[in-house]
Amino acid sequence: MNTSTQEIQHAATLLQQGDIVALPTETVYGLAGNALDLVAVNKIFEVKNRPLIDPLIVHIADLEQLNELATPHPMLEKLAEAFWPGALTLILPKTTKVPDLVTAGQPTVAIRMPSHPLFREVLKVSGLALAAPSANPFGYLSPSCAQHVQDSLGQKIPYVLDGGPCSIGIESTILDLSNKTPTVLRPGPITADELSAVLGVPVASKSKQAPEGEACTAPGLLKQHYSPHTPLTLLEAGNPFPQEILQQDRIACIHLRRPHTCLPQDNIQHFWMSESGDLTEVAQQLFSLLRMLDTQGYTRLYLEMPQAQGIGVALRDRLQRAAARA
Ligand code: AMP
Ligand code: MG
């Protein structure tokens, strides 16, 4: 992927003019706009059809930029040294500079320093802090390559900067530092154990999933999110596929690794996210495979769940939301 200086400059110029553009990050593609420009931030919500009560993550190039947006925290230095630039978002008390629109009226702001070289270049050239939620219609699967963005938002935005497929493929870990105990609000590529090892204190994990049958107070808590249109059923690894699948019309079975044997049934097609079941590869492939299968007219997708270890915790979180029906 050879992205020219002109392409980076073009994206930066559009952003400086108050426009929004899709940019690659190492996690998923983001729909970026100047975080301090209300017009740009409004466009992000509008294009994504995102409810205004769902706050945005602000992306920065360096720690100097953070000081303008958030109040420093005693744990920040250690975390930034270990994980930034990278797939960690921190929730910190905000400064008055950050518009309430960005934080959905909350006194805290979500900040991340991404590692993708193109995103970093655009941050540097534009000199802006960039609000950038995933570049997908609200509730649908996140985009892990430029074509995904073109497919669902291409008509609505002036530019997509193509940085190839995302190296991680799922959204960042969100760590809340605004309370006494650091708390993971969204599991991601960086695990609670890794955070705890660096901080030398316990890190709590809070499932943001609303309890069954209860109304949600914010879309970030939605039980259903990251969902394909085709119904999805999750199967625990090692459990046999249920008998009911033999009777169904055209279904897809998605395995973690290439299966040794497959049921020889005309109505079933088999797919796998990694040859060997490596969960890093599974994360890279997950949204691409689900998006592709979502266009193939299957009546249902069956997917083998990873174990809740390492990035498997985050994968299970996304899959449970993808399979839930509101
Ligand atoms: P994304 O759509 O992947 O950019 O993720 C944004 C998510 O970050 C939101 O849906 C919230 O769950 C979370 N978030 C952003 N800002 C805050 C905040 N100030 N406090 C708590 N969670 C936040
Ligand atoms: Mg999103």
Side-chain angles (χ1 to χ4, degrees), residues 25-37:
T25 86
E26 68 277 24
T27 58
V28 299
Y29 272 68
L31 184 60
N34 179 356
L36 305 186
D37 176 350

Side-chain angles (χ1 to χ4, degrees), residues 135-326:
N136 54 330
F138 182 72
Y140 195 60
L141 302 161
S142 293
S144 52
C145 67
Q147 190 59 49
H148 295 164
V149 184
Q150 287 292 2
D151 290 345
S152 48
L153 299 181
Q155 304 298 313
K156 296 182 167 183
I157 55 177
Y159 192 54
V160 180
L161 183 64
D162 191 347
C166 299
S167 60
I168 295 179
I170 61 165
E171 306 80 358
S172 62
T173 303
I174 300 182
L175 182 69
D176 188 354
L177 292 179
S178 69
N179 291 309
K180 207 164 160 214
T181 307
T183 305
V184 172
L185 299 184
R186 176 173 76 186
I190 295 166
T191 64
D193 286 347
E194 290 172 306
L195 294 166
S196 178
V198 163
L199 291 172
V201 296
V203 167
S205 287
K206 184 161 138 196
S207 168
K208 292 192 83 193
Q209 208 155 321
E212 204 72 41
E214 230 173 69
C216 298
T217 50
L221 313 184
L222 271 186
K223 202 174 94 174
Q224 185 188 358
H225 207 63
Y226 316 109
S227 302
H229 302 304
T230 315
L232 173 67
T233 296
L234 305 176
L235 302 168
E236 287 301 334
N239 285 359
F241 279 84
Q243 284 298 310
E244 69 190 39
I245 66 173
L246 299 175
Q247 277 87 52
Q248 296 203 20
D249 247 15
R250 279 203 85 232
I251 61 160
C253 286
I254 308 164
H255 305 261
L256 292 171
R257 65 179 63 75
R258 181 196 280 269
H260 296 304
T261 51
C262 290
L263 293 174
Q265 283 280 132
D266 288 347
N267 64 330
I268 305 173
Q269 279 186 296
H270 293 270
F271 301 87
W272 46 94
M273 296 178 279
S274 157
E275 277 294 316
S276 63
D278 174 65
L279 292 189
T280 305
E281 274 171 30
V282 170
Q284 286 164 350
Q285 296 305 321
L286 177 67
F287 289 140
S288 274
L289 187 58
L290 288 177
R291 275 179 179 256
M292 187 277 283
L293 295 176
D294 210 16
T295 64
Q296 305 294 306
Y298 289 105
T299 49
R300 185 170 285 275
L301 313 175
Y302 286 86
L303 187 145
E304 182 187 0
M305 285 283 262
Q307 305 271 317
Q309 267 160 18
I311 200 169
V313 175
L315 289 168
R316 291 178 69 89
D317 168 80
R318 305 305 186 276
L319 287 165
Q320 275 152 359
R321 289 173 209 270
R325 284 291 173 253

Side-chain angles (χ1 to χ4, degrees), residues 89-162:
T89 297
L90 297 175
I91 309 287
L92 293 161
K94 81 176 193 76
T95 64
T96 51
K97 252 193 146 179
V98 181
D100 286 339
L101 185 60
V102 170
T103 68
Q106 298 188 78
T108 53
V109 61
I111 309 254
R112 178 159 99 85
M113 191 190 292
S115 68
H116 196 290
L118 294 184
F119 201 113
R120 290 183 64 74
E121 274 299 302
V122 174
L123 282 167
K124 217 169 77 187
V125 173
S126 69
L128 302 170
L130 296 175
S134 47
N136 54 330
F138 182 72
Y140 195 60
L141 302 161
S142 293
S144 52
C145 67
Q147 190 59 49
H148 295 164
V149 184
Q150 287 292 2
D151 290 345
S152 48
L153 299 181
Q155 304 298 313
K156 296 182 167 183
I157 55 177
Y159 192 54
V160 180
L161 183 64
D162 191 347

Side-chain angles (χ1 to χ4, degrees), residues 1-9 24 29 116-118 121 146 159-165:
M1 177 66 39
N2 197 355
T3 306
S4 67
T5 319
Q6 277 116 309
E7 289 170 89
I8 291 162
Q9 184 61 58
Y29 272 68
H116 196 290
L118 294 184
E121 274 299 302
Y159 192 54
V160 180
L161 183 64
D162 191 347

